[in-house]
Amino acid sequence: MTSPSVRTRKVILDAAREEFAAHGLAGGRVERIAKAAGANVQRIYAYYSDKQGLFDAVVLDAAASLAEAIRTEHRDIDSLANAIFDFVVNDPANTRTMTWARLEREDEFFQLMDTGQSGVGAVSELARLQDAGLVTTDWDAVTILEALIALCEQWHPNTRENGRSDIDRHRALVLRFVRTLAVEPAAS
Amino acid sequence: MTSPSVRTRKVILDAAREEFAAHGLAGGRVERIAKAAGANVQRIYAYYSDKQGLFDAVVLDAAASLAEAIRTEHRDIDSLANAIFDFVVNDPANTRTMTWARLEREDEFFQLMDTGQSGVGAVSELARLQDAGLVTTDWDAVTILEALIALCEQWHPNTRENGRSDIDRHRALVLRFVRTLAVEPAAS
DNA sequence: AGCTAAAAAGCAAATACTTATTTGGAAAAG
DNA sequence: CTTTTCCAAATAAGTATTTGCTTTTTAGCT
């Protein structure tokens, strides 16, 4: 059913995800992507117009999958924090890609994000928790969310060899942080 | 007094700092560095052997200046956190450089850091506070420090237009975090 | 000081290679 | 038959690094 063009588009995007996560936009090699995808270089240009277009597609995709990962309703900020933490731990490549994007496409980054309405889900989710009186309103949702993501990303992929116990300890640290932002429901 | 070679080394390093902070290792251009330094390309190779050697020199330098910025004794973790925060805010280029280094020289990054004994100062400073019973020992000094730096870096240079008030609000968030790690001195 | 020879610093142009992007045409699909 | 997909090879820059030579600095000596 899937037309060959759709399939090729996908294998190219998959290969690009790995390549760009590893080497970034400037360091990524179009030829390596084509080879890894088992496709021809020319197809990249046919589908994504140029290297940068492909990179942007990868970035949007990464942002979308973060949004996807935290889409469900969360009863509290702990739950939201855990979802973000899991995502970062389980897919370090995505995190790398976002970091590359912030560095290499600084000017276009937020515009790019808006296009894909990426973080929106998480922001509104957090805002909802604030509205419900469960999270402090001392900071706006975006600020808190970015702090949270920054904390989660701390280890991954920035550090050598993270054993399971390291991860658990790191998770505990993140949770300790978010709990300081939680508002205790008033005793009824 | 300063020999010309010393001076040239320095102007090259200064130019490289800017170039690499802006574009990273793969994206940085040797020729641009030479031009900005008002020096010849060949001098770069004479002094730093190659592009990567120059990049590493820049990274070590960035690490050293972070170490320098927090060298003084801190009476509590608030004071330490403020020092780190100030450094990150005042010199976003340094922060970018470190981020580039973690991405582009992932494997060599920590080895590089050890060479320059960069973070050591901050780690031992924090450990001292822990020994004095002023900071939780639930996490080791390295973990806490990396969390702290991650939080401080959150905005800078990752976001558009940070007004003074944004910065102050961000600082407050960082401080809120570190206070949860502080141990109240037992009432005497 | 002044002189001089060795060493170091400086540069423009050449080299050698990588790499993004295009072309022109063949094969497959609709 | 027309359109789309595919590809190998060509193109066209761009870029790190080296070479060969000139100029400046350094350091020893009278």
Side-chain angles (χ1 to χ4, degrees), chain A residues 28-31 41-42 45 50-51:
Chain A
R29 293 290 166 254
V30 172
E31 207 174 338
V41 176
Q42 206 278 329
Y45 290 88
D50 58 11
K51 183 182 170 183

PDB file of all heavy atoms in Angstrom, chain A residues 28-31 41-42 45 50-51, chain C residues 18-24 29-30:
ATOM      1  N   GLY A  28      27.126  16.699   9.942  1.00  0.00           N
ATOM      2  CA  GLY A  28      26.402  15.608   9.284  1.00  0.00           C
ATOM      3  C   GLY A  28      26.734  15.529   7.801  1.00  0.00           C
ATOM      4  O   GLY A  28      26.938  16.553   7.171  1.00  0.00           O
ATOM      5  N   ARG A  29      26.815  14.320   7.286  1.00  0.00           N
ATOM      6  CA  ARG A  29      27.189  14.148   5.887  1.00  0.00           C
ATOM      7  C   ARG A  29      26.035  13.565   5.078  1.00  0.00           C
ATOM      8  O   ARG A  29      25.530  12.491   5.390  1.00  0.00           O
ATOM      9  CB  ARG A  29      28.408  13.229   5.786  1.00  0.00           C
ATOM     10  CG  ARG A  29      29.668  13.836   6.380  1.00  0.00           C
ATOM     11  CD  ARG A  29      30.204  14.994   5.553  1.00  0.00           C
ATOM     12  NE  ARG A  29      31.207  15.776   6.278  1.00  0.00           N
ATOM     13  CZ  ARG A  29      30.970  16.978   6.777  1.00  0.00           C
ATOM     14  NH1 ARG A  29      29.799  17.540   6.647  1.00  0.00           N
ATOM     15  NH2 ARG A  29      31.930  17.631   7.404  1.00  0.00           N
ATOM     16  N   VAL A  30      25.663  14.290   4.057  1.00  0.00           N
ATOM     17  CA  VAL A  30      24.557  13.867   3.204  1.00  0.00           C
ATOM     18  C   VAL A  30      24.814  12.476   2.626  1.00  0.00           C
ATOM     19  O   VAL A  30      23.916  11.629   2.588  1.00  0.00           O
ATOM     20  CB  VAL A  30      24.361  14.890   2.057  1.00  0.00           C
ATOM     21  CG1 VAL A  30      23.358  14.368   1.059  1.00  0.00           C
ATOM     22  CG2 VAL A  30      23.922  16.221   2.616  1.00  0.00           C
ATOM     23  N   GLU A  31      26.019  12.241   2.214  1.00  0.00           N
ATOM     24  CA  GLU A  31      26.337  10.957   1.593  1.00  0.00           C
ATOM     25  C   GLU A  31      26.179   9.806   2.591  1.00  0.00           C
ATOM     26  O   GLU A  31      25.691   8.738   2.246  1.00  0.00           O
ATOM     27  CB  GLU A  31      27.764  11.000   1.060  1.00  0.00           C
ATOM     28  CG  GLU A  31      27.983  10.064  -0.114  1.00  0.00           C
ATOM     29  CD  GLU A  31      29.366  10.246  -0.706  1.00  0.00           C
ATOM     30  OE1 GLU A  31      29.961  11.333  -0.492  1.00  0.00           O
ATOM     31  OE2 GLU A  31      29.855   9.299  -1.357  1.00  0.00           O
ATOM     32  N   VAL A  41      21.628   9.782  -3.014  1.00  0.00           N
ATOM     33  CA  VAL A  41      21.757  11.157  -2.542  1.00  0.00           C
ATOM     34  C   VAL A  41      20.694  12.071  -3.154  1.00  0.00           C
ATOM     35  O   VAL A  41      20.101  12.904  -2.475  1.00  0.00           O
ATOM     36  CB  VAL A  41      23.152  11.718  -2.899  1.00  0.00           C
ATOM     37  CG1 VAL A  41      23.240  13.177  -2.498  1.00  0.00           C
ATOM     38  CG2 VAL A  41      24.224  10.927  -2.204  1.00  0.00           C
ATOM     39  N   GLN A  42      20.457  11.842  -4.409  1.00  0.00           N
ATOM     40  CA  GLN A  42      19.543  12.727  -5.122  1.00  0.00           C
ATOM     41  C   GLN A  42      18.151  12.728  -4.506  1.00  0.00           C
ATOM     42  O   GLN A  42      17.449  13.739  -4.510  1.00  0.00           O
ATOM     43  CB  GLN A  42      19.491  12.319  -6.592  1.00  0.00           C
ATOM     44  CG  GLN A  42      19.128  13.445  -7.540  1.00  0.00           C
ATOM     45  CD  GLN A  42      17.631  13.659  -7.590  1.00  0.00           C
ATOM     46  OE1 GLN A  42      16.856  12.724  -7.428  1.00  0.00           O
ATOM     47  NE2 GLN A  42      17.225  14.907  -7.784  1.00  0.00           N
ATOM     48  N   TYR A  45      17.531  15.404  -1.980  1.00  0.00           N
ATOM     49  CA  TYR A  45      17.250  16.727  -2.519  1.00  0.00           C
ATOM     50  C   TYR A  45      15.845  16.790  -3.103  1.00  0.00           C
ATOM     51  O   TYR A  45      15.176  17.812  -3.055  1.00  0.00           O
ATOM     52  CB  TYR A  45      18.316  17.108  -3.554  1.00  0.00           C
ATOM     53  CG  TYR A  45      19.624  17.347  -2.867  1.00  0.00           C
ATOM     54  CD1 TYR A  45      20.515  16.294  -2.633  1.00  0.00           C
ATOM     55  CD2 TYR A  45      19.934  18.600  -2.356  1.00  0.00           C
ATOM     56  CE1 TYR A  45      21.702  16.502  -1.947  1.00  0.00           C
ATOM     57  CE2 TYR A  45      21.114  18.817  -1.681  1.00  0.00           C
ATOM     58  CZ  TYR A  45      21.991  17.765  -1.472  1.00  0.00           C
ATOM     59  OH  TYR A  45      23.149  17.965  -0.774  1.00  0.00           O
ATOM     60  N   ASP A  50      17.084  20.443   0.517  1.00  0.00           N
ATOM     61  CA  ASP A  50      18.537  20.449   0.767  1.00  0.00           C
ATOM     62  C   ASP A  50      18.850  19.931   2.167  1.00  0.00           C
ATOM     63  O   ASP A  50      17.954  19.563   2.931  1.00  0.00           O
ATOM     64  CB  ASP A  50      19.142  21.827   0.531  1.00  0.00           C
ATOM     65  CG  ASP A  50      18.494  22.891   1.402  1.00  0.00           C
ATOM     66  OD1 ASP A  50      17.744  22.521   2.320  1.00  0.00           O
ATOM     67  OD2 ASP A  50      18.731  24.089   1.166  1.00  0.00           O
ATOM     68  N   LYS A  51      20.114  19.921   2.481  1.00  0.00           N
ATOM     69  CA  LYS A  51      20.577  19.355   3.749  1.00  0.00           C
ATOM     70  C   LYS A  51      19.879  20.011   4.930  1.00  0.00           C
ATOM     71  O   LYS A  51      19.417  19.343   5.855  1.00  0.00           O
ATOM     72  CB  LYS A  51      22.094  19.555   3.836  1.00  0.00           C
ATOM     73  CG  LYS A  51      22.756  18.961   5.061  1.00  0.00           C
ATOM     74  CD  LYS A  51      24.254  19.285   5.010  1.00  0.00           C
ATOM     75  CE  LYS A  51      24.966  18.964   6.289  1.00  0.00           C
ATOM     76  NZ  LYS A  51      26.399  19.362   6.243  1.00  0.00           N
TER      77      LYS A  51
ATOM     78  P    DT C  18      39.441  12.907   1.436  1.00  0.00           P
ATOM     79  OP1  DT C  18      39.921  12.038   2.516  1.00  0.00           O
ATOM     80  OP2  DT C  18      39.126  12.357   0.093  1.00  0.00           O
ATOM     81  O5'  DT C  18      38.170  13.716   1.961  1.00  0.00           O
ATOM     82  C5'  DT C  18      38.419  14.929   2.664  1.00  0.00           C
ATOM     83  C4'  DT C  18      37.213  15.840   2.704  1.00  0.00           C
ATOM     84  O4'  DT C  18      37.225  16.768   1.590  1.00  0.00           O
ATOM     85  C3'  DT C  18      35.843  15.168   2.694  1.00  0.00           C
ATOM     86  O3'  DT C  18      35.109  15.774   3.727  1.00  0.00           O
ATOM     87  C2'  DT C  18      35.304  15.497   1.305  1.00  0.00           C
ATOM     88  C1'  DT C  18      35.942  16.845   1.040  1.00  0.00           C
ATOM     89  N1   DT C  18      36.136  17.225  -0.384  1.00  0.00           N
ATOM     90  C2   DT C  18      35.621  18.432  -0.825  1.00  0.00           C
ATOM     91  O2   DT C  18      34.991  19.188  -0.101  1.00  0.00           O
ATOM     92  N3   DT C  18      35.872  18.709  -2.150  1.00  0.00           N
ATOM     93  C4   DT C  18      36.573  17.939  -3.034  1.00  0.00           C
ATOM     94  O4   DT C  18      36.738  18.300  -4.188  1.00  0.00           O
ATOM     95  C5   DT C  18      37.091  16.698  -2.513  1.00  0.00           C
ATOM     96  C7   DT C  18      37.864  15.781  -3.385  1.00  0.00           C
ATOM     97  C6   DT C  18      36.849  16.401  -1.222  1.00  0.00           C
ATOM     98  P    DT C  19      33.734  15.214   4.286  1.00  0.00           P
ATOM     99  OP1  DT C  19      33.611  15.616   5.689  1.00  0.00           O
ATOM    100  OP2  DT C  19      33.635  13.792   3.902  1.00  0.00           O
ATOM    101  O5'  DT C  19      32.680  16.041   3.425  1.00  0.00           O
ATOM    102  C5'  DT C  19      32.744  17.450   3.430  1.00  0.00           C
ATOM    103  C4'  DT C  19      31.690  18.023   2.518  1.00  0.00           C
ATOM    104  O4'  DT C  19      32.231  18.221   1.175  1.00  0.00           O
ATOM    105  C3'  DT C  19      30.458  17.143   2.336  1.00  0.00           C
ATOM    106  O3'  DT C  19      29.331  17.975   2.397  1.00  0.00           O
ATOM    107  C2'  DT C  19      30.617  16.572   0.936  1.00  0.00           C
ATOM    108  C1'  DT C  19      31.288  17.754   0.250  1.00  0.00           C
ATOM    109  N1   DT C  19      32.005  17.419  -1.005  1.00  0.00           N
ATOM    110  C2   DT C  19      32.053  18.372  -1.997  1.00  0.00           C
ATOM    111  O2   DT C  19      31.536  19.469  -1.893  1.00  0.00           O
ATOM    112  N3   DT C  19      32.732  17.983  -3.122  1.00  0.00           N
ATOM    113  C4   DT C  19      33.338  16.769  -3.345  1.00  0.00           C
ATOM    114  O4   DT C  19      33.921  16.539  -4.405  1.00  0.00           O
ATOM    115  C5   DT C  19      33.252  15.814  -2.269  1.00  0.00           C
ATOM    116  C7   DT C  19      33.879  14.472  -2.407  1.00  0.00           C
ATOM    117  C6   DT C  19      32.593  16.187  -1.165  1.00  0.00           C
ATOM    118  P    DA C  20      27.924  17.430   2.877  1.00  0.00           P
ATOM    119  OP1  DA C  20      27.766  17.662   4.319  1.00  0.00           O
ATOM    120  OP2  DA C  20      27.765  16.067   2.348  1.00  0.00           O
ATOM    121  O5'  DA C  20      26.932  18.416   2.107  1.00  0.00           O
ATOM    122  C5'  DA C  20      27.032  19.796   2.387  1.00  0.00           C
ATOM    123  C4'  DA C  20      26.678  20.588   1.148  1.00  0.00           C
ATOM    124  O4'  DA C  20      27.553  20.205   0.068  1.00  0.00           O
ATOM    125  C3'  DA C  20      25.261  20.372   0.639  1.00  0.00           C
ATOM    126  O3'  DA C  20      24.715  21.634   0.294  1.00  0.00           O
ATOM    127  C2'  DA C  20      25.435  19.461  -0.577  1.00  0.00           C
ATOM    128  C1'  DA C  20      26.806  19.856  -1.082  1.00  0.00           C
ATOM    129  N9   DA C  20      27.554  18.782  -1.746  1.00  0.00           N
ATOM    130  C8   DA C  20      27.911  17.574  -1.234  1.00  0.00           C
ATOM    131  N7   DA C  20      28.601  16.819  -2.072  1.00  0.00           N
ATOM    132  C5   DA C  20      28.707  17.597  -3.210  1.00  0.00           C
ATOM    133  C6   DA C  20      29.327  17.374  -4.452  1.00  0.00           C
ATOM    134  N6   DA C  20      29.974  16.260  -4.778  1.00  0.00           N
ATOM    135  N1   DA C  20      29.251  18.360  -5.369  1.00  0.00           N
ATOM    136  C2   DA C  20      28.603  19.485  -5.052  1.00  0.00           C
ATOM    137  N3   DA C  20      27.983  19.812  -3.913  1.00  0.00           N
ATOM    138  C4   DA C  20      28.075  18.813  -3.024  1.00  0.00           C
ATOM    139  P    DT C  21      23.172  21.719  -0.048  1.00  0.00           P
ATOM    140  OP1  DT C  21      22.730  23.102   0.144  1.00  0.00           O
ATOM    141  OP2  DT C  21      22.475  20.608   0.617  1.00  0.00           O
ATOM    142  O5'  DT C  21      23.192  21.452  -1.616  1.00  0.00           O
ATOM    143  C5'  DT C  21      23.860  22.393  -2.449  1.00  0.00           C
ATOM    144  C4'  DT C  21      23.848  21.929  -3.890  1.00  0.00           C
ATOM    145  O4'  DT C  21      24.731  20.801  -4.067  1.00  0.00           O
ATOM    146  C3'  DT C  21      22.484  21.483  -4.425  1.00  0.00           C
ATOM    147  O3'  DT C  21      22.132  22.350  -5.476  1.00  0.00           O
ATOM    148  C2'  DT C  21      22.713  20.052  -4.896  1.00  0.00           C
ATOM    149  C1'  DT C  21      24.220  20.027  -5.126  1.00  0.00           C
ATOM    150  N1   DT C  21      24.868  18.690  -5.079  1.00  0.00           N
ATOM    151  C2   DT C  21      25.591  18.283  -6.165  1.00  0.00           C
ATOM    152  O2   DT C  21      25.722  18.969  -7.162  1.00  0.00           O
ATOM    153  N3   DT C  21      26.169  17.046  -6.053  1.00  0.00           N
ATOM    154  C4   DT C  21      26.085  16.190  -4.975  1.00  0.00           C
ATOM    155  O4   DT C  21      26.644  15.091  -4.984  1.00  0.00           O
ATOM    156  C5   DT C  21      25.308  16.669  -3.860  1.00  0.00           C
ATOM    157  C7   DT C  21      25.160  15.824  -2.632  1.00  0.00           C
ATOM    158  C6   DT C  21      24.751  17.880  -3.967  1.00  0.00           C
ATOM    159  P    DT C  22      20.797  22.149  -6.307  1.00  0.00           P
ATOM    160  OP1  DT C  22      20.249  23.480  -6.618  1.00  0.00           O
ATOM    161  OP2  DT C  22      19.958  21.120  -5.675  1.00  0.00           O
ATOM    162  O5'  DT C  22      21.399  21.544  -7.662  1.00  0.00           O
ATOM    163  C5'  DT C  22      22.601  22.075  -8.160  1.00  0.00           C
ATOM    164  C4'  DT C  22      22.936  21.466  -9.513  1.00  0.00           C
ATOM    165  O4'  DT C  22      23.566  20.169  -9.331  1.00  0.00           O
ATOM    166  C3'  DT C  22      21.755  21.231 -10.452  1.00  0.00           C
ATOM    167  O3'  DT C  22      22.156  21.674 -11.738  1.00  0.00           O
ATOM    168  C2'  DT C  22      21.519  19.723 -10.389  1.00  0.00           C
ATOM    169  C1'  DT C  22      22.931  19.196 -10.135  1.00  0.00           C
ATOM    170  N1   DT C  22      23.010  17.925  -9.359  1.00  0.00           N
ATOM    171  C2   DT C  22      23.770  16.889  -9.853  1.00  0.00           C
ATOM    172  O2   DT C  22      24.373  16.941 -10.904  1.00  0.00           O
ATOM    173  N3   DT C  22      23.801  15.779  -9.040  1.00  0.00           N
ATOM    174  C4   DT C  22      23.161  15.620  -7.826  1.00  0.00           C
ATOM    175  O4   DT C  22      23.263  14.577  -7.198  1.00  0.00           O
ATOM    176  C5   DT C  22      22.386  16.742  -7.379  1.00  0.00           C
ATOM    177  C7   DT C  22      21.662  16.674  -6.081  1.00  0.00           C
ATOM    178  C6   DT C  22      22.349  17.833  -8.154  1.00  0.00           C
ATOM    179  P    DT C  23      21.041  21.667 -12.917  1.00  0.00           P
ATOM    180  OP1  DT C  23      21.199  22.969 -13.560  1.00  0.00           O
ATOM    181  OP2  DT C  23      19.725  21.229 -12.419  1.00  0.00           O
ATOM    182  O5'  DT C  23      21.605  20.546 -13.912  1.00  0.00           O
ATOM    183  C5'  DT C  23      22.919  20.080 -13.719  1.00  0.00           C
ATOM    184  C4'  DT C  23      23.246  18.980 -14.719  1.00  0.00           C
ATOM    185  O4'  DT C  23      23.429  17.736 -13.999  1.00  0.00           O
ATOM    186  C3'  DT C  23      22.189  18.680 -15.773  1.00  0.00           C
ATOM    187  O3'  DT C  23      22.834  18.310 -16.979  1.00  0.00           O
ATOM    188  C2'  DT C  23      21.424  17.511 -15.184  1.00  0.00           C
ATOM    189  C1'  DT C  23      22.550  16.752 -14.490  1.00  0.00           C
ATOM    190  N1   DT C  23      22.107  15.949 -13.321  1.00  0.00           N
ATOM    191  C2   DT C  23      22.700  14.727 -13.106  1.00  0.00           C
ATOM    192  O2   DT C  23      23.561  14.258 -13.824  1.00  0.00           O
ATOM    193  N3   DT C  23      22.236  14.074 -11.995  1.00  0.00           N
ATOM    194  C4   DT C  23      21.257  14.517 -11.117  1.00  0.00           C
ATOM    195  O4   DT C  23      20.928  13.835 -10.151  1.00  0.00           O
ATOM    196  C5   DT C  23      20.689  15.799 -11.410  1.00  0.00           C
ATOM    197  C7   DT C  23      19.631  16.374 -10.541  1.00  0.00           C
ATOM    198  C6   DT C  23      21.141  16.449 -12.496  1.00  0.00           C
ATOM    199  P    DG C  24      22.096  18.514 -18.377  1.00  0.00           P
ATOM    200  OP1  DG C  24      23.012  19.273 -19.237  1.00  0.00           O
ATOM    201  OP2  DG C  24      20.709  18.979 -18.159  1.00  0.00           O
ATOM    202  O5'  DG C  24      22.044  17.020 -18.916  1.00  0.00           O
ATOM    203  C5'  DG C  24      23.160  16.160 -18.701  1.00  0.00           C
ATOM    204  C4'  DG C  24      22.739  14.735 -18.920  1.00  0.00           C
ATOM    205  O4'  DG C  24      22.274  14.174 -17.661  1.00  0.00           O
ATOM    206  C3'  DG C  24      21.580  14.566 -19.899  1.00  0.00           C
ATOM    207  O3'  DG C  24      21.838  13.443 -20.721  1.00  0.00           O
ATOM    208  C2'  DG C  24      20.367  14.340 -19.008  1.00  0.00           C
ATOM    209  C1'  DG C  24      20.996  13.601 -17.831  1.00  0.00           C
ATOM    210  N9   DG C  24      20.277  13.734 -16.583  1.00  0.00           N
ATOM    211  C8   DG C  24      19.424  14.743 -16.207  1.00  0.00           C
ATOM    212  N7   DG C  24      18.921  14.587 -15.015  1.00  0.00           N
ATOM    213  C5   DG C  24      19.485  13.392 -14.564  1.00  0.00           C
ATOM    214  C6   DG C  24      19.317  12.713 -13.341  1.00  0.00           C
ATOM    215  O6   DG C  24      18.619  13.031 -12.381  1.00  0.00           O
ATOM    216  N1   DG C  24      20.068  11.542 -13.300  1.00  0.00           N
ATOM    217  C2   DG C  24      20.885  11.098 -14.300  1.00  0.00           C
ATOM    218  N2   DG C  24      21.524   9.961 -14.084  1.00  0.00           N
ATOM    219  N3   DG C  24      21.049  11.724 -15.463  1.00  0.00           N
ATOM    220  C4   DG C  24      20.315  12.858 -15.517  1.00  0.00           C
ATOM    221  P    DA C  29       7.889  -1.189 -10.040  1.00  0.00           P
ATOM    222  OP1  DA C  29       7.927  -1.612  -8.629  1.00  0.00           O
ATOM    223  OP2  DA C  29       7.622  -2.158 -11.112  1.00  0.00           O
ATOM    224  O5'  DA C  29       6.841   0.026 -10.166  1.00  0.00           O
ATOM    225  C5'  DA C  29       7.227   1.305  -9.655  1.00  0.00           C
ATOM    226  C4'  DA C  29       6.128   2.333  -9.860  1.00  0.00           C
ATOM    227  O4'  DA C  29       6.217   2.909 -11.193  1.00  0.00           O
ATOM    228  C3'  DA C  29       4.714   1.801  -9.720  1.00  0.00           C
ATOM    229  O3'  DA C  29       3.965   2.789  -9.025  1.00  0.00           O
ATOM    230  C2'  DA C  29       4.252   1.620 -11.172  1.00  0.00           C
ATOM    231  C1'  DA C  29       4.992   2.761 -11.865  1.00  0.00           C
ATOM    232  N9   DA C  29       5.343   2.530 -13.267  1.00  0.00           N
ATOM    233  C8   DA C  29       5.903   1.418 -13.813  1.00  0.00           C
ATOM    234  N7   DA C  29       6.129   1.517 -15.114  1.00  0.00           N
ATOM    235  C5   DA C  29       5.683   2.789 -15.429  1.00  0.00           C
ATOM    236  C6   DA C  29       5.642   3.501 -16.641  1.00  0.00           C
ATOM    237  N6   DA C  29       6.073   3.009 -17.799  1.00  0.00           N
ATOM    238  N1   DA C  29       5.129   4.751 -16.613  1.00  0.00           N
ATOM    239  C2   DA C  29       4.700   5.245 -15.436  1.00  0.00           C
ATOM    240  N3   DA C  29       4.690   4.672 -14.233  1.00  0.00           N
ATOM    241  C4   DA C  29       5.200   3.426 -14.302  1.00  0.00           C
ATOM    242  P    DG C  30       2.482   2.505  -8.523  1.00  0.00           P
ATOM    243  OP1  DG C  30       2.301   3.130  -7.193  1.00  0.00           O
ATOM    244  OP2  DG C  30       2.199   1.060  -8.733  1.00  0.00           O
ATOM    245  O5'  DG C  30       1.643   3.338  -9.590  1.00  0.00           O
ATOM    246  C5'  DG C  30       1.788   4.758  -9.623  1.00  0.00           C
ATOM    247  C4'  DG C  30       0.966   5.312 -10.785  1.00  0.00           C
ATOM    248  O4'  DG C  30       1.598   4.945 -12.023  1.00  0.00           O
ATOM    249  C3'  DG C  30      -0.459   4.774 -10.828  1.00  0.00           C
ATOM    250  O3'  DG C  30      -1.391   5.845 -10.761  1.00  0.00           O
ATOM    251  C2'  DG C  30      -0.573   4.054 -12.183  1.00  0.00           C
ATOM    252  C1'  DG C  30       0.600   4.627 -12.970  1.00  0.00           C
ATOM    253  N9   DG C  30       1.198   3.663 -13.906  1.00  0.00           N
ATOM    254  C8   DG C  30       1.582   2.380 -13.634  1.00  0.00           C
ATOM    255  N7   DG C  30       2.090   1.753 -14.669  1.00  0.00           N
ATOM    256  C5   DG C  30       2.041   2.692 -15.700  1.00  0.00           C
ATOM    257  C6   DG C  30       2.455   2.578 -17.050  1.00  0.00           C
ATOM    258  O6   DG C  30       2.968   1.613 -17.630  1.00  0.00           O
ATOM    259  N1   DG C  30       2.226   3.757 -17.738  1.00  0.00           N
ATOM    260  C2   DG C  30       1.673   4.912 -17.192  1.00  0.00           C
ATOM    261  N2   DG C  30       1.538   5.934 -18.004  1.00  0.00           N
ATOM    262  N3   DG C  30       1.279   5.008 -15.926  1.00  0.00           N
ATOM    263  C4   DG C  30       1.498   3.869 -15.240  1.00  0.00           C
TER     264       DG C  30
END
